[in-house]
Amino acid sequence: MKAFSERVDWYKELETRKWKLTWHFIEMSGIALSSFVLISVILIYGNGKHLQSVLVAFILILGVASLCLAPAIYSGAIFKRWHIQLICLGLGCGVGVAAIAAILLLKLQHGHT
């Protein structure tokens, strides 16, 4: 059981490895970039119906949040290791689910035209 408690304590520490902070910064920037690309695809191919504005607003919030959190994660002085893992996982999954919703929305819009 000592190994488990050591691992939990390790995740409660601040991240100090520079390569890992750089990796998470790139990851958050990629999430932001993919959300903005997804917004542009929706606006280009969508027709403005069927809750398109709500989906665009949701994706925009995810993109702005990940763009604002990327420098804070890179600094390494604010978030602990488990915070960074949850932030990256949550925002990444949010953009992934929004991409699936965007595909279904565009399919719905182009199916009725």
Side-chain angles (χ1 to χ4, degrees), residues 40-52:
S40 64
V41 167
I42 292 172
L43 292 177
I44 291 170
Y45 293 109
N47 61 8
K49 298 179 184 176
H50 303 291
L51 298 174
Q52 179 176 332

Side-chain angles (χ1 to χ4, degrees), residues 1-104:
M1 244 7 220
K2 184 178 178 182
F4 179 73
S5 63
E6 288 175 356
R7 184 169 290 194
V8 169
D9 290 338
W10 185 77
Y11 275 103
K12 288 182 180 180
E13 297 173 1
L14 291 174
E15 183 64 72
T16 57
R17 300 172 293 178
K18 199 62 173 173
W19 71 270
K20 193 71 168 176
L21 293 172
T22 304
W23 171 254
H24 288 304
F25 176 78
I26 292 170
E27 190 175 27
M28 293 298 289
S29 300
I31 291 170
L33 180 66
S34 63
S35 68
F36 296 136
V37 167
L38 185 59
I39 288 173
S40 64
V41 167
I42 292 172
L43 292 177
I44 291 170
Y45 293 109
N47 61 8
K49 298 179 184 176
H50 303 291
L51 298 174
Q52 179 176 332
S53 59
V54 174
L55 183 61
V56 168
F58 176 71
I59 299 169
L60 183 65
I61 290 169
L62 290 176
V64 169
S66 59
L67 190 64
C68 292
L69 284 171
I73 287 176
Y74 185 71
S75 71
I78 300 171
F79 298 112
K80 296 179 180 179
R81 287 184 173 109
W82 71 274
H83 293 148
I84 295 172
Q85 294 292 326
L86 285 179
I87 290 169
C88 292
L89 184 66
L91 289 173
C93 289
V95 171
V97 168
I100 293 170
I103 290 170
L104 294 174

